[in-house]
Amino acid sequence: MKFPELIAQGKNVGDRWRFSIPPGKAVLLGRETSLYRVPWDAKISREHLQLTAVDDVLQVKKLPSATNPVFYDGKSALQ
């Protein structure tokens, strides 16, 4: 079974990673989260999103503590 992958990339060479998202397990994305961390992006909150892969769908939930919106395809998707 192939898991969905999340890729984060910043301006600098070292500012990038690629992780698989295990099915059914909620993971957190943000500047200061444990695994899915993007410390180079000041527009992402310390804890910004909860991601959950369910079947063939990636569920994205903005956390209540996140102050910035979530963008998808260049447009604000979650306020």
Side-chain angles (χ1 to χ4, degrees), residues 5 14 16 19 37-38 42 53 55 60 62 67-68 76:
E5 291 185 325
R16 67 177 73 183
F19 289 113
R37 181 175 47 239
V38 285
D55 298 323
V60 180
K62 181 181 168 194
T67 56
N68 293 325
S76 179

Side-chain angles (χ1 to χ4, degrees), residues 36-70:
Y36 297 83
R37 181 175 47 239
V38 285
W40 61 83
D41 191 340
K43 294 184 179 178
I44 293 179
S45 298
R46 288 180 180 99
E47 290 187 342
H48 200 88
L49 299 173
Q50 176 181 297
L51 306 167
T52 310
V54 178
D55 298 323
D56 291 336
V57 176
L58 181 63
Q59 297 176 346
V60 180
K61 178 183 175 188
K62 181 181 168 194
L63 298 172
S65 61
T67 56
N68 293 325
V70 175

Side-chain angles (χ1 to χ4, degrees), residues 16-44:
R16 67 177 73 183
W17 51 251
R18 179 182 199 152
F19 289 113
S20 293
I21 299 175
K25 181 181 177 193
V27 296
L28 298 180
L29 171 77
R31 281 195 334 266
E32 295 183 6
T33 56
S34 59
L35 181 60
Y36 297 83
R37 181 175 47 239
V38 285
W40 61 83
D41 191 340
K43 294 184 179 178
I44 293 179

Side-chain angles (χ1 to χ4, degrees), residues 8-16 40-41 43:
Q9 184 171 335
K11 292 181 182 179
N12 298 316
V13 174
D15 294 344
R16 67 177 73 183
W40 61 83
D41 191 340
K43 294 184 179 178

